[in-house]
Amino acid sequence: MKNSISETPLLEVKRLQKYFHAKQNNGARGGEILKAVDDISFTLRAGEALGLVGESGCGKSTTARAVLRLVEPDAGDVFYKGIDMLKLCPEEMRFLRKEMQIIFQDPLAALNPKRRIRDILSEPFIIHGVTDMDFRQKSIAGLLQKTGLSEDQLARFPHEFSGGQLQRIGIARALALNPRLIVADEPVSALDVSIQAQIVNLLSDLKENEGIAFLFISHDMGVVEHFCDRVAVMYLGKIVEMATAQSLYAKPRHPYTLALMAAVPSLRDEVQVQKVITGEAMDTTVFAKGCAFQARCPIKEKQCEDISPTLKEIAPGHSVACHLSE
Amino acid sequence: MHSDELQVKNLKVAFSSPQGDLIAVNGISFQIEKGETLALVGESGCGKTVSALSILRLIPEPPGKVLGGEIFLSDRDLLRLSPKEMRDLRGNDIAMIFQDPLASLNPVLTIGEQIIETLLRHTKISRSEATKRTEELLRRVEIPSPSQKMKNYPHQLSGGMRQRVMIAMALSCSPKILIADEPTTALDVLIQLQILDLLKQLKEETGMSILLITHDLGVVRAVAQRVLVMYAGDIVEVSPMHALMKTPLHPYTQGLIESLPSQSASKNRARLPAIPGVVPSLGQRPGGCPFHPRCAKVESRCREKFPELKELEPGRWARCFVAERGR
């Protein structure tokens, strides 16, 4: 299964940065600066799934959007197949976007309620100038088959479907133009438990069989462990730990990663220790210096208040940003 | 018998539609004991929220209607109370918190004002006393610097803080029963743990009972003592929590636990053991056992006969022919 991952990166993100400038109470500029994405670097190869995990507001969605230039990054580089994406004009960008698609958390909100499934699935072809009706029909039939939908559902409207089926339609639409990269932003969080597993299995098939690369955003550590090859844990705009899923789950090093994992207990163990981490991840402006996690960290030391830790490789393919992990 | 705080008997709730009455809750019976946390688990549309709302008589009528049953709180049948009696009971005896606290709080009143209002409505205390009580309540739900936070509007607080405010409001009249409908679903995992911990702690302190509605077995694992599993309007399994997690009796419960990627049995598998198909919509309830089209252990009689909820082990009930035979 790991053989399908190619060696050269499909996507290379270097020192990506996106700050938001909050307005002051009177509406003027110059309020607080929110560092949503703060110096993020990673690579993604074809057929590989990189999980981005963290609490809401940690910048995982903004990172994914900045990579696709759905929000313009302030600084950094994004290379897709070696092409510097941030230098492309809108016309070139639109052409390249065929290969990059996004799946959202709430499929009902992502689909036009006034259009039939047939129209929703035809639209990507129309936008990208595929006028051959025969080809379009065949492609749509192929999409339905891949995503476990049936032809008689084409004439129906989104509200007639359940959440799981809507997510299948969202995935079918994303697959229409043969993407190489799919950003999946909490694709199963809104689904029922019994349906989640079906959709995760479908995405696994696409990864294995079609060699599609996934940037998989989730707060569910269990789903991420199952689906992703590598995982980046984000806290307040920064990656605090990045490793292969195997290595991360076998030996998490950052206290924040440990806390996230402890929050997903095993159902079957009789006794278990759940450590409650106090406090909340609030705005990044709170700490002028030192580690961003210091206020909630159970093992904090003096140096954490002064020096902000950088991401260091401590084992092959396993990087951590924590003074105390060495 | 008398340790039962609340007793629901044969509750049947339907929604009228052009196709006739659609049964959302199909004659369910259960009781909550004093100081117990009972979890009501199931997927969307299984009737868990409708059951809870019926207890508080909050089902919009029409289109909803309670077709039959009894709900006893002490000696009173809630379904026979007048609207005025019901208004006094809500908040006082039974309080409820919801999934989305932002939607439940008034956006143009400070949170302090909203709790004070609740106190003045339900108790005979002065405004200054109510203000003091409010500060105490906020401190009790571990909101930092409560006297300042009282002056905040809901949008100025984080999701976790808002849910704490909702809990403070629910506790304001010391209810016997707290109904919590997906109280942590909208929260981050670490905040979820904090809120569940707080609920557990408050339950210990006050001795109230909690009816916890959730789809998340991890949440059940963290706080519940007993679990009811619902499917398509029926209770399919009743069990103490640890026993349910260890040896689920009903194939549906088994499927729910197996399909979780975080559970050890399914780790390192290429594919997750998913339950096939979808939850039937109201009005498309299959005959026989409603779970039979999705069941891995289906037999011919499951298609024809509706199984009864039977006690298979002391304190453990399941509605399944296959589970019955396995005993």
Side-chain angles (χ1 to χ4, degrees):
Chain A
M1 143 187 157
K2 307 282 172 189
N3 300 338
S4 59
I5 301 171
S6 78
E7 281 311 310
T8 48
L10 178 77
L11 183 76
E12 204 172 353
V13 176
K14 285 184 183 161
R15 312 208 64 167
L16 194 70
Q17 180 189 310
K18 177 73 195 175
Y19 291 177
F20 291 106
H21 300 266
K23 285 189 176 136
Q24 285 176 319
N25 282 343
N26 58 15
R29 284 190 71 114
E32 290 172 349
I33 293 172
L34 178 76
K35 297 177 179 176
V37 179
D38 194 8
D39 196 6
I40 296 268
S41 305
F42 61 85
T43 57
L44 184 62
R45 288 166 296 175
E48 187 184 39
L50 174 69
L52 282 183
V53 300
E55 293 173 277
S56 34
C58 74
K60 50 194 196 300
S61 290
T62 309
T63 301
R65 274 154 216 251
V67 166
L68 297 186
R69 284 183 72 189
L70 296 174
V71 296
E72 282 299 326
D74 297 335
D77 293 302
V78 180
F79 294 99
Y80 177 78
K81 290 181 176 168
I83 304 165
D84 186 350
M85 271 175 51
L86 301 184
K87 294 217 165 66
L88 298 182
C89 71
E91 188 58 39
E92 292 167 319
M93 195 59 220
R94 199 170 317 138
F95 186 75
L96 204 60
R97 276 222 183 89
K98 274 201 288 195
E99 302 194 6
M100 306 165 192
Q101 294 292 327
I102 185 162
I103 307 168
F104 298 95
Q105 174 171 358
D106 180 358
L108 189 57
L111 301 173
N112 187 335
K114 293 184 174 175
R115 307 200 68 191
R116 294 176 197 276
I117 304 310
R118 184 190 308 284
D119 303 323
I120 289 171
L121 293 182
S122 303
E123 196 162 17
F125 296 105
I126 296 168
I127 289 174
H128 286 278
V130 180
T131 45
D132 182 344
M133 288 299 275
D134 249 17
F135 176 79
R136 216 192 279 170
Q137 295 257 324
K138 262 192 217 141
S139 302
I140 290 177
L143 292 175
L144 295 175
Q145 203 239 331
K146 256 185 230 168
T147 51
L149 297 162
S150 65
E151 296 250 358
D152 55 317
Q153 291 168 327
L154 283 174
R156 288 156 69 182
F157 290 97
H159 73 266
E160 298 176 69
F161 291 88
S162 67
Q165 284 172 311
L166 285 172
Q167 197 56 289
R168 286 177 195 274
I169 295 165
I171 293 169
R173 180 177 65 176
L175 290 177
L177 299 166
N178 277 322
R180 302 322 304 154
L181 168 67
I182 289 181
V183 169
D185 193 348
E186 300 270 10
V188 298
S189 309
L191 304 178
D192 274 319
V193 192
S194 75
I195 309 300
Q196 275 192 11
Q198 294 177 8
I199 298 295
V200 171
N201 283 342
L202 171 61
L203 294 177
S204 296
D205 289 345
L206 295 172
K207 180 164 74 98
E208 305 296 331
N209 303 339
E210 320 250 325
I212 297 172
F214 280 87
L215 196 53
F216 191 87
I217 300 169
S218 181
H219 68 277
D220 185 330
M221 297 300 281
V223 172
V224 168
E225 179 183 16
H226 182 83
F227 181 73
C228 296
D229 304 289
R230 282 192 305 136
V231 185
V233 182
M234 287 186 70
Y235 191 75
L236 294 178
K238 282 188 152 66
I239 293 179
V240 296
E241 185 161 8
M242 181 150 61
T244 61
Q246 222 179 358
S247 175
L248 187 84
Y249 283 82
K251 204 170 177 194
R253 317 265 183 144
H254 198 283
Y256 182 63
T257 315
L258 275 165
L260 283 180
M261 286 183 181
V264 200
S266 162
L267 297 183
R268 289 191 171 110
D269 297 346
E270 290 279 335
V271 195
Q272 44 190 269
V273 199
Q274 278 193 31
K275 275 206 207 111
V276 179
I277 288 260
T278 53
E280 300 188 356
M282 295 303 278
D283 54 335
T284 47
T285 50
V286 178
F287 300 108
K289 58 177 186 172
C291 175
F293 189 58
Q294 54 176 287
R296 305 172 79 190
C297 186
I299 57 168
K300 187 187 87 166
E301 284 183 0
K302 183 76 191 71
Q303 55 174 335
C304 308
E305 291 170 21
D306 303 325
I307 308 157
S308 175
T310 50
L311 201 61
K312 277 188 214 125
E313 191 163 14
I314 52 156
H318 197 140
S319 314
V320 188
C322 176
H323 296 305
L324 305 169
S325 66
E326 289 140 37
Chain B
M1 191 71 183
H2 279 285
S3 65
D4 294 350
E5 197 74 83
L6 183 88
Q7 213 169 10
V8 175
K9 286 183 184 164
N10 248 325
L11 178 70
K12 196 164 185 174
V13 187
F15 290 90
S16 48
S17 80
Q19 292 93 49
D21 281 354
L22 304 175
I23 308 289
V25 176
N26 191 21
I28 65 166
S29 304
F30 63 91
Q31 77 284 346
I32 307 173
E33 282 160 31
K34 193 165 166 41
E36 179 186 42
T37 302
L38 177 70
L40 200 50
V41 182
E43 296 175 273
S44 30
C46 74
K48 56 192 193 301
T49 296
V50 174
S51 307
L53 290 175
S54 314
I55 294 173
L56 282 173
R57 302 251 313 264
L58 289 173
I59 296 288
E61 301 183 38
K65 57 186 164 190
V66 176
L67 293 181
E70 292 161 320
I71 300 171
F72 280 104
L73 180 74
S74 309
D75 296 329
R76 296 201 289 175
D77 184 354
L78 303 189
L79 295 178
R80 295 188 210 298
L81 295 186
S82 71
K84 163 87 176 65
E85 287 171 310
M86 209 52 221
R87 266 202 304 281
D88 288 338
L89 182 137
R90 287 187 205 118
N92 261 338
D93 296 297
I94 307 178
M96 186 159 180
I97 55 175
F98 300 89
Q99 175 174 345
D100 181 4
L102 194 56
S104 315
L105 292 166
N106 188 332
V108 297
L109 288 181
T110 62
I111 57 158
E113 193 55 43
Q114 296 184 54
I115 300 177
I116 292 169
E117 190 183 16
T118 313
L119 283 167
L120 293 178
R121 165 74 182 76
H122 285 284
T123 54
K124 292 190 177 68
I125 56 174
S126 71
R127 205 181 158 82
S128 62
E129 270 176 88
T131 312
K132 242 174 84 189
R133 279 283 304 280
T134 300
E135 206 181 314
E136 268 163 45
L137 282 163
L138 291 178
R139 183 166 299 125
R140 209 154 146 215
V141 295
E142 291 160 15
I143 290 181
S145 47
S147 52
Q148 279 150 42
K149 283 279 168 12
M150 275 173 75
K151 295 174 196 136
N152 280 358
Y153 291 91
H155 76 267
Q156 295 173 302
L157 301 177
S158 67
M161 285 298 152
R162 284 180 208 135
Q163 197 57 283
R164 286 173 194 270
V165 171
M166 289 300 295
I167 294 171
M169 202 181 285
L171 290 179
S172 60
C173 302
S174 322
K176 293 185 187 125
I177 296 168
L178 176 69
I179 300 178
D181 190 355
E182 303 269 7
T184 58
T185 307
L187 303 178
D188 282 314
V189 280
L190 297 179
I191 309 299
Q192 162 165 306
L193 219 54
Q194 292 174 5
I195 296 290
L196 294 176
D197 210 52
L198 175 69
L199 283 175
K200 240 181 359 199
Q201 193 187 316
L202 291 169
K203 194 201 72 163
E204 299 292 315
E205 283 168 28
T206 59
M208 66 180 173
S209 313
I210 297 179
L211 178 60
L212 175 78
I213 298 163
T214 183
H215 71 280
D216 186 337
L217 290 168
V219 171
V220 173
R221 175 70 184 77
V223 291
Q225 275 125 37
R226 224 155 45 90
V227 188
L228 299 179
V229 183
M230 285 188 77
Y231 186 80
D234 297 304
I235 292 176
V236 296
E237 183 159 358
V238 183
S239 171
M241 187 271 288
H242 285 294
L244 182 104
M245 298 296 176
K246 215 168 176 182
T247 51
L249 298 177
H250 198 282
Y252 176 60
T253 321
Q254 288 162 7
L256 282 185
I257 294 176
E258 275 300 307
S259 62
L260 287 177
S262 54
Q263 296 320 304
S264 52
S266 56
K267 258 183 201 169
N268 303 324
R269 287 195 200 169
R271 296 181 71 78
L272 292 171
I275 303 179
V278 294
V279 182
S281 56
L282 294 181
Q284 282 176 341
R285 194 185 143 93
C289 169
F291 185 60
H292 84 256
R294 306 179 69 194
C295 185
K297 300 181 175 166
V298 61
E299 297 176 355
S300 59
R301 61 181 161 170
C302 307
R303 299 190 179 90
E304 284 139 32
K305 270 182 73 185
F306 180 52
E308 279 174 54
L309 189 64
K310 283 193 182 156
E311 188 165 18
L312 304 182
E313 284 171 34
R316 301 195 65 187
W317 303 64
R319 190 187 289 283
C320 174
F321 293 125
V322 181
E324 256 173 55
R325 206 190 41 213
R327 292 297 121 184

